[in-house]
mmCIF file of all heavy atoms in Angstrom:
data_model
loop_
_atom_site.group_PDB
_atom_site.id
_atom_site.type_symbol
_atom_site.label_atom_id
_atom_site.label_comp_id
_atom_site.label_asym_id
_atom_site.label_seq_id
_atom_site.Cartn_x
_atom_site.Cartn_y
_atom_site.Cartn_z
ATOM 1 N N GLY A 23 31.904 58.128 -45.826
ATOM 2 C CA GLY A 23 31.897 57.070 -46.816
ATOM 3 C C GLY A 23 30.523 56.688 -47.334
ATOM 4 O O GLY A 23 30.385 55.690 -48.021
ATOM 5 N N GLY A 30 16.581 55.870 -59.865
ATOM 6 C CA GLY A 30 16.461 54.739 -60.775
ATOM 7 C C GLY A 30 16.495 53.424 -60.018
ATOM 8 O O GLY A 30 16.515 53.384 -58.797
ATOM 9 N N PHE A 33 20.090 46.896 -57.850
ATOM 10 C CA PHE A 33 20.089 45.442 -57.785
ATOM 11 C C PHE A 33 19.643 44.900 -56.433
ATOM 12 O O PHE A 33 19.156 43.791 -56.345
ATOM 13 C CB PHE A 33 21.483 44.885 -58.102
ATOM 14 C CG PHE A 33 21.791 44.925 -59.565
ATOM 15 C CD1 PHE A 33 22.559 45.939 -60.093
ATOM 16 C CD2 PHE A 33 21.313 43.942 -60.427
ATOM 17 C CE1 PHE A 33 22.845 45.988 -61.442
ATOM 18 C CE2 PHE A 33 21.592 43.975 -61.777
ATOM 19 C CZ PHE A 33 22.362 45.007 -62.296
ATOM 20 N N THR A 49 24.974 46.741 -33.346
ATOM 21 C CA THR A 49 24.413 47.741 -32.440
ATOM 22 C C THR A 49 24.130 49.061 -33.163
ATOM 23 O O THR A 49 23.975 50.099 -32.525
ATOM 24 C CB THR A 49 25.358 47.998 -31.242
ATOM 25 O OG1 THR A 49 26.624 48.450 -31.734
ATOM 26 C CG2 THR A 49 25.540 46.744 -30.403
ATOM 27 N N ASP A 54 21.562 55.773 -37.974
ATOM 28 C CA ASP A 54 22.752 55.491 -38.773
ATOM 29 C C ASP A 54 22.448 54.540 -39.932
ATOM 30 O O ASP A 54 22.981 54.701 -41.028
ATOM 31 C CB ASP A 54 23.859 54.911 -37.886
ATOM 32 C CG ASP A 54 24.301 55.913 -36.829
ATOM 33 O OD1 ASP A 54 24.217 57.137 -37.071
ATOM 34 O OD2 ASP A 54 24.728 55.464 -35.749
ATOM 35 N N VAL A 66 13.226 52.445 -42.222
ATOM 36 C CA VAL A 66 14.110 51.455 -41.598
ATOM 37 C C VAL A 66 13.372 50.723 -40.480
ATOM 38 O O VAL A 66 13.484 49.498 -40.356
ATOM 39 C CB VAL A 66 15.409 52.113 -41.079
ATOM 40 C CG1 VAL A 66 16.209 51.145 -40.216
ATOM 41 C CG2 VAL A 66 16.245 52.617 -42.245
ATOM 42 N N ASP A 76 9.256 37.961 -39.784
ATOM 43 C CA ASP A 76 9.482 36.740 -40.547
ATOM 44 C C ASP A 76 10.670 35.920 -40.036
ATOM 45 O O ASP A 76 11.064 34.934 -40.667
ATOM 46 C CB ASP A 76 9.653 37.057 -42.028
ATOM 47 C CG ASP A 76 8.329 37.435 -42.679
ATOM 48 O OD1 ASP A 76 7.268 37.209 -42.070
ATOM 49 O OD2 ASP A 76 8.356 37.957 -43.802
ATOM 50 N N LEU A 79 15.528 38.350 -38.183
ATOM 51 C CA LEU A 79 16.218 39.267 -37.290
ATOM 52 C C LEU A 79 15.496 39.309 -35.956
ATOM 53 O O LEU A 79 14.277 39.155 -35.899
ATOM 54 C CB LEU A 79 16.190 40.668 -37.943
ATOM 55 C CG LEU A 79 16.922 41.814 -37.298
ATOM 56 C CD1 LEU A 79 18.424 41.588 -37.376
ATOM 57 C CD2 LEU A 79 16.566 43.107 -38.016
ATOM 58 N N GLU A 84 19.410 47.067 -24.983
ATOM 59 C CA GLU A 84 20.551 47.241 -24.089
ATOM 60 C C GLU A 84 20.714 48.724 -23.821
ATOM 61 O O GLU A 84 21.159 49.463 -24.690
ATOM 62 C CB GLU A 84 21.811 46.655 -24.713
ATOM 63 C CG GLU A 84 21.766 45.146 -24.805
ATOM 64 C CD GLU A 84 23.099 44.547 -25.222
ATOM 65 O OE1 GLU A 84 24.082 45.286 -25.367
ATOM 66 O OE2 GLU A 84 23.135 43.321 -25.382
ATOM 67 N N ARG A 86 19.981 52.317 -23.865
ATOM 68 C CA ARG A 86 19.155 53.125 -24.760
ATOM 69 C C ARG A 86 19.169 52.616 -26.196
ATOM 70 O O ARG A 86 18.517 53.184 -27.063
ATOM 71 C CB ARG A 86 19.653 54.566 -24.720
ATOM 72 C CG ARG A 86 19.419 55.202 -23.365
ATOM 73 C CD ARG A 86 19.975 56.589 -23.271
ATOM 74 N NE ARG A 86 19.534 57.435 -24.369
ATOM 75 C CZ ARG A 86 19.958 58.652 -24.591
ATOM 76 N NH1 ARG A 86 20.844 59.187 -23.789
ATOM 77 N NH2 ARG A 86 19.514 59.350 -25.601
ATOM 78 N N GLU A 93 19.513 35.780 -38.145
ATOM 79 C CA GLU A 93 19.397 34.319 -38.266
ATOM 80 C C GLU A 93 20.063 33.893 -39.574
ATOM 81 O O GLU A 93 19.435 33.929 -40.634
ATOM 82 C CB GLU A 93 17.926 33.892 -38.238
ATOM 83 C CG GLU A 93 17.236 34.132 -36.923
ATOM 84 C CD GLU A 93 17.880 33.352 -35.782
ATOM 85 O OE1 GLU A 93 18.411 32.238 -36.013
ATOM 86 O OE2 GLU A 93 17.861 33.865 -34.652
ATOM 87 N N GLY A 95 20.952 31.096 -40.924
ATOM 88 C CA GLY A 95 20.494 29.902 -41.634
ATOM 89 C C GLY A 95 19.138 30.040 -42.289
ATOM 90 O O GLY A 95 18.685 29.142 -43.009
ATOM 91 N N VAL A 97 16.367 30.794 -44.847
ATOM 92 C CA VAL A 97 16.379 30.749 -46.314
ATOM 93 C C VAL A 97 15.724 32.011 -46.867
ATOM 94 O O VAL A 97 14.739 32.517 -46.324
ATOM 95 C CB VAL A 97 15.648 29.475 -46.800
ATOM 96 C CG1 VAL A 97 15.558 29.435 -48.314
ATOM 97 C CG2 VAL A 97 16.364 28.236 -46.283
ATOM 98 N N THR A 107 20.767 30.950 -48.236
ATOM 99 C CA THR A 107 20.532 31.455 -46.887
ATOM 100 C C THR A 107 20.926 32.920 -46.755
ATOM 101 O O THR A 107 21.637 33.467 -47.611
ATOM 102 C CB THR A 107 21.349 30.647 -45.860
ATOM 103 O OG1 THR A 107 22.738 30.848 -46.139
ATOM 104 C CG2 THR A 107 20.992 29.175 -45.887
ATOM 105 N N GLN A 117 31.747 40.766 -47.906
ATOM 106 C CA GLN A 117 33.043 40.534 -48.521
ATOM 107 C C GLN A 117 33.323 41.629 -49.543
ATOM 108 O O GLN A 117 34.404 42.184 -49.588
ATOM 109 C CB GLN A 117 33.077 39.172 -49.191
ATOM 110 C CG GLN A 117 34.383 38.888 -49.904
ATOM 111 C CD GLN A 117 34.354 37.544 -50.613
ATOM 112 O OE1 GLN A 117 33.313 36.901 -50.697
ATOM 113 N NE2 GLN A 117 35.476 37.119 -51.120
ATOM 114 N N ARG A 124 39.219 48.229 -48.504
ATOM 115 C CA ARG A 124 40.652 47.968 -48.373
ATOM 116 C C ARG A 124 41.450 48.299 -49.618
ATOM 117 O O ARG A 124 42.583 48.716 -49.529
ATOM 118 C CB ARG A 124 40.898 46.507 -48.020
ATOM 119 C CG ARG A 124 40.744 46.251 -46.550
ATOM 120 C CD ARG A 124 41.173 44.857 -46.201
ATOM 121 N NE ARG A 124 39.956 44.055 -46.115
ATOM 122 C CZ ARG A 124 39.813 42.851 -46.627
ATOM 123 N NH1 ARG A 124 40.773 42.250 -47.249
ATOM 124 N NH2 ARG A 124 38.679 42.210 -46.514
#
Side-chain angles (χ1 to χ4, degrees):
F33 284 99
T49 59
D54 297 331
V66 170
D76 287 346
L79 185 68
E84 291 189 4
R86 293 176 52 186
E93 293 299 328
V97 176
T107 64
Q117 178 183 8
R124 277 188 261 136

